[in-house]
Amino acid sequence: MRVRIPAVLAAILLIAPAALAQQQTGSISGKVTDNSGAVLPGVTVTVASPVLLQPQVATTSQTGTYNFARLPIGTYDLTFELAGFRTVVRKGVQIEIGFNAQINQQLDISAVEETVTVSGESPIVDTKSTTEKTSFDLESMQNIPSSRDPWDLLNRVPAIATDRVNVGGSQSGQQSGYISRGSSSGNNKWSVDGVDITDMSATGASPIYYDFDMFQEMQITTGGADASQQTGGVGINIVTRGGTDTFRGSGRLYATDQKFEDDNVDDELRAQGAVSGNPIQNIQDYGVEAGGPIMRGKLWFWGSYGKQNVKVGVLGFYKDEPGCRPTPPTDTEGLRNCLSTDLTTLNNYNYKVNWAPFQNNQFAWQNTFAEKIRNARDASDTRPIETTYRQHGVSSDYGAWGWKSGPAGVWKASDKHIFSDRWLMEFQWAHVGNNFTLDFHEPSLKDVQRAREITTGAYSRSYQASDFVRPTNSVDLTTTYFVPAFAGGDHSIKSGFRWREAPVLSASHVGGFAEARFENGVATEATLYRDSLTEYDLQTYAWYVQDNITVNRFNVQLGLRYDRQRDAALPSAVGANPIVPEWLPAISFNGADTGIVWNTWSPRLGLTYDLRGDGRTVAKTSYSVYYGQLGKGGLAGNLNPVSSANIRFPWNDLNGDRTVQRDELDESTILSFGGNYDPDNPTALESSGTVDPNIKDDRTREFIIGIDHELARGIAVGASYIWRKYDRFSWDDTIGFSSADYEQITYTPPASSCPDGARCPTVTYYQPLIDEPAAYVSTNVPDRWRDYNGVELSLTKRYSNNWRADMSFAYNNAIDHWGSPDSYEDPSNLETANGYQYAPQSGGSGIDNIFTNSKWLVKFAGMYSVPYGHVNVAASLDAHQGYPFPVVVRTPSRAHRAGRVDVRLDPLGSVRLPNLYIMNLRVDRPIPLHGGARLIPSVDIFNLTNANTILSRRRTQNADNANDVSSIVSPRVIRFGVRIQW
């Protein structure tokens, strides 16, 4: 493995006063006065908590202020001491990720030594931050009904919409797609214990799956981020558990089985193709975690093991056995018994060691292994079992790195040193392994050509296989410095630097090197593929500085961030397509570098004002500029000719064997082609693509104004207005070709191709007047942007007086714009997209035909502890507007190599699926055991009302499966669980 840290980086690490890491801590600060209001310098302030190896001590400045930065999340006690004054102890101050607790304290003069203890007054309003965030502490994650994965928690965050409904863990075998405030998923960020683990190939996704019981806290950021976050996407920040001076741990067993599951398919849904629904077959979730002292106050350990077995039934995905395929039974029980198992197994191992080698220094080492095995990834009604993937570790050695199979892993080493009560610094190194294979369902399918019915989109016979090797290495240096009484205010300055390298290798092979395409069962077209083997290296550097300036009731946040991103394509080679080697010959690529480096400066400005001076009502506003993250091959991939090239010809199955042979192809007509490939010069050793040397990174500008108010102790409400503008999108601009090179065509689908209930009007589409050139340049789209306007309301009630609650309402309006003919080439769907809702389509992993967009979303989660009987009752609600249902008519193959196009019949967002309302309920009853341990049996009921909301339909109207239901909400199901805590 190559780990390259340039000399300039080493120099920066030696001299830089600061560095970069995703926030995993909070802070406590404040002012100490006497009973006349005069400031008190020289007060000794001590902060202690079970999560600290050693207490921290600060002394108030000449302005009476103190500051404890980068405190681990947890509950703290503060002690204020000064000779001649009563000592005050403030207990129970709660710190969440990124929360700034303002604790101002008044000390009374006293001639005798005495201590006053104050409890239960932890702030709930952050007076110093403009970040829009939602935090989940340990209790809310464990005690509110959930499917026990981080993607399910996203459904409890204001304004976030996900592409799937995870009823009781039915979708826990795969990551959810999600968007917020009109952002693209490619700018989402993932962080675990300060390590940026974001997958830079599936950009914006997580590279691993998780044991839910490894989480201590999770925070979701949706806007107003300070300079420590690069992008304007959703930021997911996870802090894992750790050891303390007290040995503690827990174990759990949860079981969900079809024996305790209802049927939510009625006659109306059966008539629309829903038949079996999407039931859980069996889910098991079990594990153990524990930690404690090796040397009290000096050395701690923690570790965990967790496993999930997820078996679900997928609508239309039947076993390949008599009585199930090709004609399944009609009764619900028979249908469910015929559903193939989409089995996913998730194994997760963690350990962590914290060590204080000497005073004011703490070293940490931790490791996570995450393994995923999936039996039938992408299973759906259009992907029968022989076309699904088997997912497992990489099975071969590839390329210069030579990585082998094994579970994905995260390794981290860090060292934090407190130089004084005003200055601390932390160094961190991390490696993230991310290697996996999406294999053929059976090895023999490697040489079997896959088949596709063009009208319905259904595949058969085989599919393809891919190997992915995606490790990252990173180094962070982070510092915080507190400067009181300077230039009229107190300054809390944080700064950071990060170096990150993300090499990646991807290899793919389509079964039999070909796709046989049929139209209504008749051989029509054939697509020929060449294997792909690409290698890239991505280098990024980042630096930021942020100053929080406090002047009386005002807090000003001034931030500036610099990002440097560059990628390169490395040498690789692929063999020829054996069917048409002249069209798709072998290629040996020497590698390429665009020479383009993205250097961006991102300003951040925030302002808060404490309206009453008591920390209970805060007005806030912020303006931020964010830039996107460069994924693997994002620039250099345009120069790489060994990506998955393909070419499509008319095909006549002369011998009737439904398999493509060379003599059955009409090679005089090219229907379409793809990849960095020129069919007019197929033996070219260079790509048909180039990159504009002036191409710029995508940009997000954001303005937020809002107010937070503490209604009562532990209860806060908030309201925000959010404006965003997205622009500088990139595209592949065909050289010598524009929207003026298209002609308008009308098409009326034959009545025979449109089943009852389908909409098959005459449609207008466009086709080129000349052959589409292969040469293109990757550049920014002119006159192309997206606007977002939204309002969010929230209420948070911390647990007290036997109850807690979180509620939110969000209104979203994200509109796409193409401002001139220069902003598009093919005008076919412009009329139904320009000026309408932004609704990106989610695809893959068993989810398709999902267009994620809701203009309104309502979220609720709460718990009540019954005073008598010690029973806890919790509930959650996820309600949102139905997602768009953009029906289409599929055209014939267009002239001049343009392929087919799906023409939308309605403006995007104007026709929608039904609104979604999902309620979940949980009841548990802790039972005390010897020595303070507890046994907690629980019952969770998911989809309490047994809703059968349609989540997706088949959109193509001139197809046999037009408007067929392809997925519905999984039915009501009961999960039984038991936990033991000690």
Side-chain angles (χ1 to χ4, degrees):
M1 184 184 302
R2 296 177 297 174
V3 179
R4 298 174 304 196
I5 305 179
V8 65
L9 173 61
I12 291 173
L13 291 177
L14 291 174
I15 65 174
L20 176 81
Q22 293 298 313
Q23 202 163 14
Q24 54 180 318
T25 57
S27 68
I28 298 176
S29 61
K31 179 183 291 187
V32 183
T33 60
D34 64 17
N35 52 13
S36 71
V39 299
L40 288 177
V43 177
T44 299
V45 186
T46 304
V47 62
S49 171
V51 300
L52 289 176
L53 275 168
Q54 300 167 344
Q56 294 184 23
V57 180
T59 302
T60 57
S61 68
Q62 62 267 38
T63 60
T65 54
Y66 70 94
N67 183 65
F68 293 99
R70 296 185 64 79
L71 292 173
I73 60 172
T75 302
Y76 289 82
D77 296 340
L78 276 77
T79 303
F80 300 85
E81 299 173 287
L82 181 64
F85 292 83
R86 287 189 178 93
T87 297
V88 175
V89 178
R90 292 284 296 267
K91 286 186 170 292
V93 178
Q94 298 180 39
I95 296 300
E96 300 172 344
I97 302 172
F99 187 78
N100 305 287
Q102 180 175 308
I103 306 295
N104 297 327
Q105 186 60 52
Q106 185 179 93
L107 299 185
D108 294 329
I109 297 174
S110 176
V112 297
E113 293 185 4
E114 59 179 320
T115 300
V116 177
T117 301
V118 182
S119 301
E121 295 187 7
S122 181
I124 193 170
V125 173
D126 191 332
T127 61
K128 295 186 177 182
S129 175
T130 60
T131 302
E132 302 278 319
K133 59 197 175 188
T134 300
S135 295
F136 301 99
D137 59 19
L138 187 61
E139 286 72 26
S140 68
M141 288 189 289
Q142 295 289 347
N143 298 333
I144 303 296
S146 79
S147 299
R148 293 177 51 79
D149 75 36
W151 295 274
D152 188 49
L153 293 182
L154 293 171
N155 284 313
R156 287 160 54 184
V157 177
I160 289 185
T162 63
D163 66 358
R164 60 197 73 203
V165 180
N166 193 350
V167 175
S170 59
Q171 296 290 336
S172 291
Q174 195 61 43
Q175 298 187 33
S176 297
Y178 53 94
I179 61 169
S180 174
R181 299 177 172 179
S183 66
S184 69
S185 60
N187 278 328
N188 295 334
K189 300 290 287 185
W190 284 80
S191 172
V192 175
D193 289 334
V195 178
D196 183 350
I197 66 169
T198 309
D199 191 331
M200 302 311 295
S201 296
T203 314
S206 169
I208 63 172
Y209 290 78
Y210 304 88
D211 173 7
F212 198 67
D213 281 4
M214 69 189 278
F215 298 161
Q216 178 69 28
E217 187 168 312
M218 179 172 166
Q219 184 185 89
I220 316 296
T221 300
T222 53
D226 66 17
S228 63
Q229 179 160 316
Q230 174 186 359
T231 71
V234 176
I236 298 178
N237 198 354
I238 295 169
V239 174
T240 64
R241 298 195 192 193
T244 68
D245 268 345
T246 302
F247 180 71
R248 53 145 303 277
S250 66
R252 93 279 183 169
L253 172 62
Y254 292 98
T256 313
D257 192 82
Q258 59 188 350
K259 295 177 182 177
F260 303 97
E261 184 173 38
D262 282 303
D263 179 12
N264 63 346
V265 183
D266 56 25
D267 290 340
E268 182 179 356
L269 284 173
R270 288 188 182 92
Q272 298 176 71
V275 290
S276 62
N278 296 88
I280 289 172
Q281 295 173 332
N282 182 268
I283 298 176
Q284 296 178 0
D285 178 354
Y286 55 89
V288 63
E289 58 84 23
I294 300 173
M295 297 175 59
R296 293 186 184 276
K298 192 76 172 177
L299 184 63
W300 295 344
F301 80 94
W302 173 83
S304 75
Y305 167 72
K307 184 169 186 173
Q308 296 180 67
N309 285 320
V310 182
K311 298 179 182 179
V312 299
V314 180
L315 193 154
F317 180 58
Y318 299 117
K319 298 175 182 176
D320 190 10
E321 59 185 46
C324 295
R325 290 176 65 190
T327 305
T330 57
D331 64 291
T332 299
E333 183 177 357
L335 283 166
R336 287 191 174 183
N337 290 334
C338 275
L339 289 178
S340 289
T341 297
D342 180 16
L343 170 64
T344 302
T345 299
L346 303 176
N347 292 307
N348 198 282
Y349 312 81
N350 297 274
Y351 68 89
K352 180 188 296 186
V353 176
N354 294 89
W355 176 39
F358 49 87
Q359 187 69 28
N360 294 329
N361 187 273
Q362 181 172 320
F363 175 81
W365 170 263
Q366 64 190 80
N367 183 211
T368 292
F369 280 115
E371 181 180 41
K372 176 180 177 180
I373 302 170
R374 191 165 187 183
N375 170 65
R377 178 165 169 164
D378 281 12
S380 73
D381 57 325
T382 60
R383 293 283 300 277
I385 195 165
E386 66 271 16
T387 69
T388 61
Y389 295 115
R390 289 189 188 271
Q391 182 171 347
H392 53 81
V394 172
S395 57
S396 303
D397 296 347
Y398 283 104
W401 292 281
W403 284 295
K404 300 177 184 289
S405 62
V410 179
W411 291 261
K412 173 192 170 183
S414 65
D415 189 81
K416 181 172 69 175
H417 189 75
I418 301 173
F419 292 92
S420 70
D421 60 355
R422 298 184 183 181
W423 181 29
L424 64 82
M425 182 177 289
E426 183 172 4
F427 173 85
Q428 174 180 287
W429 166 87
H431 171 79
V432 180
N434 180 19
N435 314 331
F436 66 98
T437 290
L438 300 180
D439 213 343
F440 290 101
H441 195 80
E442 299 293 343
S444 60
L445 299 177
K446 177 181 180 181
D447 298 321
V448 177
Q449 295 178 2
R450 75 183 185 197
R452 188 182 189 191
E453 172 56 48
I454 298 170
T455 60
T456 64
Y459 290 92
S460 60
R461 299 200 306 217
S462 180
Y463 200 67
Q464 70 183 52
S466 301
D467 286 332
F468 304 98
V469 180
R470 304 170 174 175
T472 64
N473 300 289
S474 62
V475 173
D476 294 85
L477 185 64
T478 315
T479 193
T480 302
Y481 194 77
F482 178 57
V483 184
F486 176 76
D490 293 335
H491 299 254
S492 180
I493 302 170
K494 63 177 182 179
S495 183
F497 177 87
R498 165 172 292 154
W499 165 82
R500 193 176 188 217
E501 179 186 51
V504 61
L505 179 146
S506 301
S508 67
H509 168 71
V510 172
F513 293 94
E515 179 180 281
R517 297 167 60 87
F518 301 86
E519 188 167 13
N520 297 313
V522 178
T524 304
E525 304 168 354
T527 308
L528 292 309
Y529 291 86
R530 184 170 61 201
D531 286 350
S532 171
L533 178 59
T534 60
E535 295 190 58
Y536 298 101
D537 192 28
L538 174 65
Q539 298 271 342
T540 63
Y541 302 83
W543 169 86
Y544 79 86
V545 62
Q546 179 99 16
D547 188 6
N548 272 27
I549 309 167
T550 302
V551 182
N552 297 321
R553 298 184 187 182
F554 285 96
N555 184 266
V556 181
Q557 302 159 40
L558 300 175
L560 183 64
R561 180 187 176 94
Y562 167 73
D563 286 280
R564 185 180 192 274
Q565 304 178 83
R566 180 173 186 169
D567 70 342
L570 304 182
S572 54
V574 294
N577 177 291
I579 302 172
V580 287
E582 294 85 359
W583 287 101
L584 294 167
I587 291 288
S588 181
F589 173 53
N590 293 325
D593 189 332
T594 64
I596 296 171
V597 180
W598 278 347
N599 295 286
T600 54
W601 293 89
S602 309
R604 309 287 165 86
L605 172 64
L607 175 66
T608 66
Y609 180 66
D610 186 346
L611 294 176
R612 298 179 179 177
D614 57 5
R616 297 179 183 272
T617 306
V618 177
K620 58 184 182 180
T621 186
S622 67
Y623 177 78
S624 304
V625 178
Y626 310 98
Y627 292 96
Q629 55 188 346
L630 179 64
K632 66 94 180 174
L635 295 175
N638 297 284
L639 307 181
N640 195 337
V642 292
S643 58
S644 187
N646 64 82
I647 189 168
R648 183 177 299 163
F649 299 111
W651 169 49
N652 184 6
D653 187 17
L654 298 176
N655 59 9
D657 66 354
R658 301 176 65 83
T659 300
V660 177
Q661 279 100 35
R662 179 71 179 266
D663 61 355
E664 298 174 339
L665 300 172
D666 179 2
E667 297 179 41
S668 66
T669 302
I670 299 173
L671 299 176
S672 66
F673 61 94
N676 294 333
Y677 163 72
D678 184 355
D680 296 325
N681 187 16
T683 60
L685 298 181
E686 66 275 357
S687 167
S688 60
T690 56
V691 182
D692 178 357
N694 297 313
I695 189 172
K696 294 179 173 59
D697 200 357
D698 65 275
R699 178 175 60 182
T700 304
R701 286 169 285 180
E702 174 190 73
F703 171 74
I704 301 176
I705 186 169
I707 189 167
D708 291 333
H709 173 63
E710 183 176 339
L711 281 177
R713 182 176 297 176
I715 304 177
V717 293
S720 298
Y721 162 75
I722 304 99
W723 170 87
R724 283 186 167 193
K725 184 172 183 178
Y726 303 86
D727 62 3
R728 304 201 331 189
F729 305 119
S730 62
W731 70 335
D732 294 337
D733 185 12
T734 307
I735 296 175
F737 198 65
S738 72
S739 56
D741 294 308
Y742 282 82
E743 62 177 340
Q744 189 177 92
I745 304 291
T746 58
Y747 170 66
T748 303
S752 60
S753 68
C754 300
D756 292 341
R759 294 172 56 194
C760 288
T762 298
V763 296
T764 299
Y765 66 96
Y766 293 81
Q767 73 177 11
L769 293 165
I770 59 175
D771 284 352
E772 283 195 1
Y776 71 89
V777 58
S778 184
T779 186
N780 295 113
V781 189
D783 305 320
R784 171 84 169 91
W785 73 93
R786 179 163 63 249
D787 289 325
Y788 173 84
N789 289 274
V791 175
E792 296 175 15
L793 308 175
S794 64
L795 181 147
T796 300
K797 165 67 170 65
R798 281 181 178 163
Y799 185 79
S800 63
N801 300 321
N802 297 320
W803 69 285
R804 69 176 300 154
D806 294 282
M807 292 182 281
S808 69
F809 168 80
Y811 171 79
N812 300 280
N813 194 32
I815 303 296
D816 263 333
H817 300 275
W818 287 259
S820 75
D822 293 332
S823 62
Y824 57 88
E825 286 184 355
D826 185 349
S828 292
N829 279 305
L830 183 69
E831 290 185 358
T832 57
N834 186 27
Y836 296 105
Q837 290 291 304
Y838 168 67
Q841 182 177 6
S842 185
S845 305
I847 296 293
D848 61 358
N849 285 324
I850 303 291
F851 290 78
T852 311
N853 171 286
S854 286
K855 297 191 73 172
W856 61 264
L857 303 98
V858 176
K859 315 287 180 77
F860 168 81
M863 184 184 76
Y864 179 69
S865 299
V866 180
Y868 304 100
H870 306 288
V871 174
N872 299 317
V873 180
S876 64
L877 168 69
D878 177 18
H880 61 72
Q881 184 185 32
Y883 290 167
F885 178 49
V887 298
V888 300
V889 165
R890 183 162 294 159
T891 70
S893 284
R894 297 179 290 177
H896 303 296
R897 308 175 176 179
R900 300 170 186 262
V901 63
D902 289 341
V903 181
R904 280 194 299 266
L905 304 185
D906 308 292
L908 193 52
S910 63
V911 177
R912 293 178 177 268
L913 296 166
N915 297 337
L916 177 75
Y917 303 89
I918 293 293
M919 292 186 63
N920 305 311
L921 180 69
R922 175 185 174 89
V923 179
D924 67 61
R925 204 284 189 188
I927 302 171
L929 300 176
H930 178 71
R934 297 192 306 167
L935 185 71
I936 310 174
S938 62
V939 177
D940 294 86
I941 306 175
F942 298 97
N943 189 5
L944 184 65
T945 62
N946 203 30
N948 59 1
T949 310
I950 296 170
L951 301 178
S952 62
R953 292 180 180 271
R954 293 297 163 199
R955 300 183 299 116
T956 306
Q957 299 298 288
N958 52 334
D960 290 342
N961 61 353
N963 301 315
D964 280 0
V965 174
S966 54
S967 66
I968 67 172
V969 171
S970 294
R972 176 170 52 220
V973 66
I974 300 175
R975 182 179 71 196
F976 295 95
V978 61
R979 297 180 62 84
I980 184 170
Q981 296 178 344
W982 66 87

